[in-house]
Amino acid sequence: MKYYSTNGKTEAVDLREAVVKGLAADNGLFMPERIEALPTTFYEDIDKFSFQDIAFVVAQAFFGEDVQEDVLRTIVNETLAFDCPVVHVQDNRYALELFHGPTLAFKDVGARFMARLLRHFVGQDHKRAINVLVATSGDTGSAVVNGFLGVEGVNVYVLYPKGKVSKIQESQFTTLGQNITTIEVDGTFDDCQALVKRAFMDKELNEQLLLTSANSINVARFLPQAFYYFYAYAQMKRQGLQNELVLCVPSGNFGNITAGLFAHRMGLPIKRFIAANNANDVFYQYLHTGKYLPKPSVQTIANAMDVGNPSNFARIFALYDGNHETISRLIEGFRFSDDEIRATIRECFQQTGYVLDPHGACGYKALQLSLSENEHGVFCETAHPAKFKETVDAVLPTPIDIPERLARFMQGRKLACPMDNSFDKFKAFLLQNASRE
Ligand SMILES: *Cc1c(COP(=O)(O)O)cnc(C)c1O
């Protein structure tokens, strides 16, 4: 399968190159040249399959031509070493819990798949070490680091905005060492993302180093997120609840919802989508006005969604030929203030006992406002609430428990390197520290 750039100014590449490069040479995002519908028999029987079996069928549709069947099977099985259950919360609203992985957030799925696919490709070509650059607003860093920790031939550089991620999140990626380097940038998430993007465009850096991205823009991270939407459908079908299905995704960089749109294109029977935002409402504004106007991000209590220029907008635009009417008919937008998010966490707990995290709360609230009686709504619970303990404890009557696998991170020592928001400094740092062979 070839992958083309959303900017259309460079030639299509094969999977290996798309995965290793991350971003196209013209700064666009890679898109698979074909998105094939899966056979109707697959959807008829989907409720009888396991998560791994469903995911393998989806993975084959994209990667089957380029990765041997047994290798792909192993990558899928190793990636999905944990469950993504659908849990009833209230009325016709269900949570797709994506936090049962090692770092308690949905990004574990894409990060684990990508690390394994990249290791597979690196294994075929021992000549050069790969340097993974990743900008994080919180959860990406820990998920990527977890996926790559100790993987030979791969070095990871994590850039994160100083003082803008929670202590718990920070501990999950700054305490590990080994092949992981963390850089604490005096700036915002958008600054971190810009530094990474510029590194990929820099001629000298690319001549000297083999660089790749592990942000949600990488096809190997973003496509596997479709797995759990098929599985969510299967779980709803098992209960006879698959009709009039609405999928609601708390969105920041829009990778997660875009994977859902790919699933829809492959024939997954989802009636419509909801993109739930915090105060960073660029996409919401686009849906209402037809104009896409990026702006600086603002800080919120759902900080993994603090994105002012969502990268994956380019993929959504490409998927629907830039047709605003099609896009706004399929996707509804919501945005919530921090106060509304807090009120939702409190209210949902009081009424149901279910503890939402600040991101999932946006999804839950959007469904509450949008669903009609005959619809069934599934929202992504994108992280475990304990990752945002301070915020959640402040609105609930009693403090929530910290799961063991999260507590372990918090005992480590912080190893981050501080850095100004300066591309020259970042470049010098990479030239000095990154491995060339
Ligand atoms: C990354 C993240 C999001 C946003 O996902 P996108 O794919 O960037 O839209 C939402 N919630 C949590 C907890 C996240 O970590």
Side-chain angles (χ1 to χ4, degrees), residues 8-24:
K9 294 194 189 102
T10 181
E11 274 186 24
V13 301
D14 63 13
L15 177 64
R16 186 190 188 287
E17 194 173 337
V19 172
V20 172
K21 291 258 169 74
L23 197 67

Side-chain angles (χ1 to χ4, degrees), residues 105-107 137-140 169 216 225 249-257 304-305 307 312 357 359-360 382-383 388:
F106 80 88
K107 293 186 177 76
S137 57
D139 281 334
T140 314
Q169 287 178 329
S216 54
Q225 294 170 355
V249 186
S251 295
N253 222 5
F254 280 72
N256 205 11
I257 195 170
M305 310 197 309
V307 182
N312 285 285
D357 91 290
H359 308 80
T382 48
F388 307 92

Side-chain angles (χ1 to χ4, degrees), residues 26-67:
D26 61 0
N27 215 11
L29 275 65
F30 287 117
M31 288 280 279
E33 63 176 359
R34 279 176 285 117
I35 304 173
E36 272 156 29
L38 296 172
T40 43
T41 50
F42 171 68
Y43 292 108
E44 280 161 20
D45 295 333
I46 194 168
D47 51 324
K48 300 179 189 78
F49 297 146
S50 70
F51 188 12
Q52 283 85 352
D53 287 343
I54 292 169
F56 180 62
V57 172
V58 178
Q60 269 202 312
F62 289 109
F63 309 121
E65 289 171 22
D66 302 295
V67 184

